[in-house]
Amino acid sequence: MAPLWEIVGGADKGGILVREGRTTDTKTLPERLSTGALVEEIELVAERLSYKLVTGQGPSRGWISIKIAGKVLAQPFEEDKDGGGGGADEGEDGEEITVEQRCAKELEKPGTSWQPIDMEWFQAHHEKKAKGLVYGMEFPWTAQLLQEMGPAWLTKAFQATQVLPKGNKVTKITNVKEHIGGGNCAKLVFDVEYAKGSDKLHTKLFAKIPFPPTGKTMSDRMASSVMQQGSDIGEINASRLLEASLPCPIPKYYFGDVSNETTNWIQITERIPFSETVGDRTFDPAYDKMKDWELKGPAEEYYYLLIKVGARMAGMYKAGTLAPLDQLHKFFVSTEWNGPETWGMGPHNTGLNDNEFKTKIKMGVDFISETGKAIFPDYCSTPAFISSYKKILATVNVYTAEINYWCNRNADYIAWSHGNLNVDNVFFWRDGAKALNVGVLDWGGARIDSMGWKLWWWLYCCEYDFLNAHIDGMLEAFIQEYQASGGPLLEKEELKWQFTLSALSQGVGLLGAVPQIYRMCAKKQWATIKDRKDERIQKNVDGKNTLRVYIGTFINICNMIHDWGLEAKLDKWVEEFTATSGIPRKTIDF
């Protein structure tokens, strides 16, 4: 095998420069090669290296300097003599290492990255067994495979992650049950037994696996494996790297890996005892999106707690107390150093092409003003609102790249945190004093980018009346906690505008969901649906909350457009962007 090199320079700049050719006067590529990346040597000429990316972020090929002015930027990589995976270190008593030790060891490993695949590749490879990006071992991705690979595989996996000592092993797997819930993946619950029991080892475990690429979950699997590919590695990395330093509990990590070749993946953690009392902790039931009336207390008690926990993560990232920044940048996608030239901005339409947008906006308008009008506010059927709705979303569409840039242009507002901090992605409990506490689950899409973006995805599923009444208070709570945890002081109006632009961007994306809405609730049924709590659109369909979430988000965004004066605010933003960017104002055709 060709020699491997580890990128050790550029931590303060988001990585090192990559050029097209060997000499330093050739064109610089727009993306940097991330610190911690692992590359394969193609050619080495003096101190210039032609490489192929193995893990990490950056161009898949190019030329880099391995040293500049005596400073080492890349160094030969040598794997551990035990092969890199290894088992758990054992103390004299044979117990597993601490969570802090485990996370520190994981953070020292080379970074992980995802190389894009297309639909054709997925269809040709998804049934294969393949080694994972993290531990270099094959893994199960269905209930059947988990049982076939059995206790021997679990033993090997748990020793690779260092949660199980070499002197112990898994002896039995029982009660394996499949469960499809949420909207992004399938789940398993199962029980295990160990040769040596320990209060540090859970016997009731939980696993997340990909949806089967068949039948009613086919479109969901296509979305996660192709359209949103690579997000699973962020979830795995959050648990395996940061369990010890996060400012809230998370389920104990046992194993996680993903194959870039097949897009199959698995993550195994402890199982949370929802609706049970354990010691002085009484756990709430597992909640679902767009059903806040089921919360066992005031919505503000729950959402302000979520906001503060998410803000602490982000502030700790900025302060470097979550983990050293150079280590985090090895493992998580970041927009922190993306210059204007990387976003694809220009005088052209940077969103859906005109014909596609016109087709989709027609479907969206028909849904909110005709087919589904009974569940929307009356004003959604008025010519004035329809005109404003079309103009706003048409503007957002043609300025897609520019909005993405705008929300990520100021590093003060960019941080690592949870990407979807909703009530269904956490677990709540009350302690002996009846105080509400929270732990966090489901780290899919964890990355370093705009906190305004993230805040929208934390709050988009709460009830609109609550959102409208509390948005300023929640943003203020975020700003205060973010600064207290080590982040800079943010401007509320800037943060709120990033939040709003993110909402409007999702509004464009939702237009394409209308056909899926009709597949889950046939168009002919809508004539007799009178409100949002009709069982036909309120229930989970095929075990998933997708229909209810699409509908609720449509309603929230329509209300924001109407109540928040967004047409005028968007026009003002376009004027400001035009004046500061030098890009001529674009023609909006709707």
Side-chain angles (χ1 to χ4, degrees):
M1 180 179 177
L4 297 177
W5 293 74
E6 182 178 8
I7 307 306
V8 295
D12 59 338
K13 297 181 176 65
I16 64 175
L17 287 176
V18 181
R19 295 184 183 274
E20 285 186 347
R22 179 174 62 82
T23 61
T24 55
D25 59 355
T26 56
K27 182 180 178 181
T28 301
L29 298 181
E31 190 177 5
R32 287 176 176 259
L33 183 59
S34 65
T35 306
L38 201 62
V39 299
E40 180 180 312
E41 178 183 317
I42 297 175
E43 183 179 1
L44 181 63
V45 180
E47 293 184 345
R48 295 286 291 168
L49 174 70
S50 174
Y51 75 87
K52 176 183 177 182
L53 184 65
V54 177
T55 65
Q57 306 296 324
S60 59
R61 292 175 183 266
W63 284 83
I64 59 172
S65 295
I66 61 173
K67 185 185 294 186
I68 292 181
K71 183 177 181 180
V72 176
L73 303 182
Q75 64 186 20
F77 175 76
E78 295 184 6
E79 295 190 69
D80 296 338
K81 292 181 180 179
D82 67 359
D89 291 349
E90 296 182 53
E92 292 181 1
D93 58 1
E95 294 184 355
E96 68 268 22
I97 63 174
T98 66
V99 173
E100 290 77 13
Q101 290 171 320
R102 183 190 65 74
C103 288
K105 286 176 176 288
E106 294 278 12
L107 283 163
E108 291 296 332
K109 293 180 179 179
T112 51
S113 70
W114 186 268
Q115 301 305 309
I117 58 103
D118 57 23
M119 186 71 73
E120 183 179 355
W121 178 275
F122 167 77
Q123 291 173 337
H125 293 83
H126 72 83
E127 294 181 342
K128 297 180 179 179
K129 283 187 177 180
K131 293 181 179 180
L133 288 173
V134 180
Y135 299 105
M137 55 188 287
E138 293 183 355
F139 56 86
W141 66 92
T142 67
Q144 180 179 344
L145 281 173
L146 176 64
Q147 293 174 92
E148 288 176 0
M149 297 175 78
W153 179 83
L154 281 178
T155 298
K156 181 180 178 182
F158 293 177
Q159 289 181 349
T161 59
Q162 305 188 47
V163 297
L164 186 69
K166 291 179 181 177
N168 201 355
K169 63 181 180 179
V170 178
T171 59
K172 186 182 292 187
I173 305 175
T174 58
N175 301 322
V176 179
K177 298 177 182 177
E178 296 184 69
H179 169 68
I180 292 180
N184 292 317
C185 67
K187 284 95 173 176
L188 300 175
V189 294
F190 60 99
D191 299 338
V192 297
E193 295 180 13
Y194 303 95
K196 301 175 184 177
S198 165
D199 59 3
K200 295 181 180 179
L201 294 171
H202 296 85
T203 58
K204 295 183 180 297
L205 300 179
F206 174 81
K208 299 179 75 171
I209 55 176
F211 279 128
T214 56
K216 294 179 179 179
T217 58
M218 171 67 85
S219 62
D220 301 280
R221 178 62 187 275
M222 295 300 102
S224 62
S225 288
V226 181
M227 305 304 294
Q228 301 161 12
Q229 59 182 280
S231 64
D232 306 312
I233 192 65
E235 173 154 10
I236 291 166
N237 281 339
S239 291
R240 78 180 180 98
L241 302 171
L242 301 176
E243 182 182 349
S245 58
L246 285 164
C248 59
I250 68 171
K252 180 172 179 173
Y253 172 78
Y254 279 82
F255 181 83
D257 216 337
V258 58
S259 166
N260 202 152
E261 180 181 358
T262 67
T263 76
N264 293 321
W265 63 284
I266 188 170
Q267 182 172 9
I268 302 173
T269 66
E270 71 170 286
R271 194 188 320 167
I272 299 301
F274 289 108
S275 299
E276 297 180 17
T277 297
V278 180
D280 67 346
R281 295 183 173 189
T282 300
F283 287 83
D284 277 17
Y287 294 121
D288 206 345
K289 285 184 174 73
M290 292 288 179
K291 298 181 81 171
D292 282 357
W293 54 86
E294 294 183 347
L295 296 174
K296 297 174 74 67
E300 51 264 41
E301 183 182 22
Y302 286 81
Y303 279 101
Y304 277 86
L305 180 58
L306 291 180
I307 290 291
K308 290 178 180 179
V309 167
R312 286 180 203 134
M313 297 177 201
M316 290 174 66
Y317 163 79
K318 299 299 276 190
T321 54
L322 194 62
L325 296 183
D326 61 333
Q327 292 182 332
L328 284 177
H329 289 142
K330 293 190 300 184
F331 298 103
F332 295 99
V333 174
S334 174
T335 63
E336 202 158 7
W337 293 285
N338 288 14
E341 71 282 357
T342 66
W343 293 96
M345 298 186 293
H348 57 288
N349 173 1
T350 58
L352 303 172
N353 67 57
D354 290 345
N355 288 336
E356 183 178 1
F357 177 79
K358 287 179 180 179
T359 298
K360 289 183 175 180
I361 193 68
K362 185 177 185 299
M363 292 190 300
V365 168
D366 175 79
F367 177 60
I368 67 174
S369 65
E370 295 293 339
T371 305
K373 66 183 298 182
I375 66 171
F376 285 86
D378 291 342
Y379 61 71
C380 288
S381 302
T382 65
F385 179 82
I386 291 171
S387 176
S388 182
Y389 180 79
K390 291 167 68 175
K391 178 183 177 183
I392 287 172
L393 295 191
T395 302
V396 170
N397 180 61
V398 301
Y399 281 95
T400 294
E402 291 76 13
I403 287 172
N404 292 340
Y405 157 73
W406 189 267
C407 291
N408 288 275
R409 76 194 190 285
N410 187 335
D412 284 354
Y413 294 79
I414 295 175
W416 185 94
S417 193
H418 198 286
N420 192 11
L421 200 58
N422 281 276
V423 295
D424 66 327
N425 291 330
V426 299
F427 54 99
F428 295 102
W429 75 92
R430 293 189 184 273
D431 57 27
K434 305 300 182 184
L436 188 66
N437 297 270
V438 67
V440 180
L441 311 162
D442 296 346
W443 296 88
R447 52 187 287 159
I448 303 160
D449 59 12
S450 162
M451 288 310 306
W453 276 357
K454 287 184 169 69
L455 279 158
W456 167 249
W457 290 101
W458 296 357
L459 297 172
Y460 78 110
C461 286
C462 61
E463 292 296 302
Y464 176 72
D465 288 345
F466 170 80
L467 175 66
N468 194 39
H470 289 275
I471 181 60
D472 288 322
M474 289 189 288
L475 292 178
E476 288 163 4
F478 175 88
I479 290 168
Q480 182 178 3
E481 200 71 35
Y482 182 61
Q483 185 182 30
S485 300
L489 178 63
L490 304 182
E491 295 290 335
K492 186 180 76 173
E493 290 309 311
E494 169 66 22
L495 189 64
K496 188 174 183 178
W497 186 237
Q498 291 185 18
F499 173 93
T500 304
L501 287 173
S502 181
L504 295 177
S505 296
Q506 191 186 6
V508 174
L510 277 174
L511 300 175
V514 174
Q516 193 173 351
I517 289 173
Y518 294 149
R519 283 195 293 272
M520 291 182 283
C521 181
K523 197 170 184 179
K524 62 183 179 182
Q525 294 192 46
W526 284 87
T528 56
I529 291 175
K530 301 303 180 185
D531 60 63
R532 204 181 113 208
K533 291 189 178 180
D534 187 294
E535 182 65 14
R536 288 169 289 181
I537 59 174
Q538 188 58 42
K539 66 181 180 180
N540 283 3
V541 178
D542 299 324
K544 297 171 292 181
N545 59 25
T546 311
L547 175 61
R548 184 175 63 252
V549 170
Y550 282 163
I551 291 169
T553 311
F554 253 115
I555 293 171
N556 283 350
I557 292 171
C558 285
N559 278 321
M560 290 169 62
I561 287 173
H562 181 265
D563 295 347
W564 293 14
L566 296 189
E567 183 176 345
K569 290 180 179 178
L570 188 61
D571 281 343
K572 182 179 179 181
W573 174 79
V574 170
E575 289 178 6
E576 181 181 354
F577 178 81
T578 301
T580 57
S581 69
I583 295 174
R585 188 173 184 127
K586 303 185 188 188
T587 300
I588 309 299
D589 182 10
F590 59 93

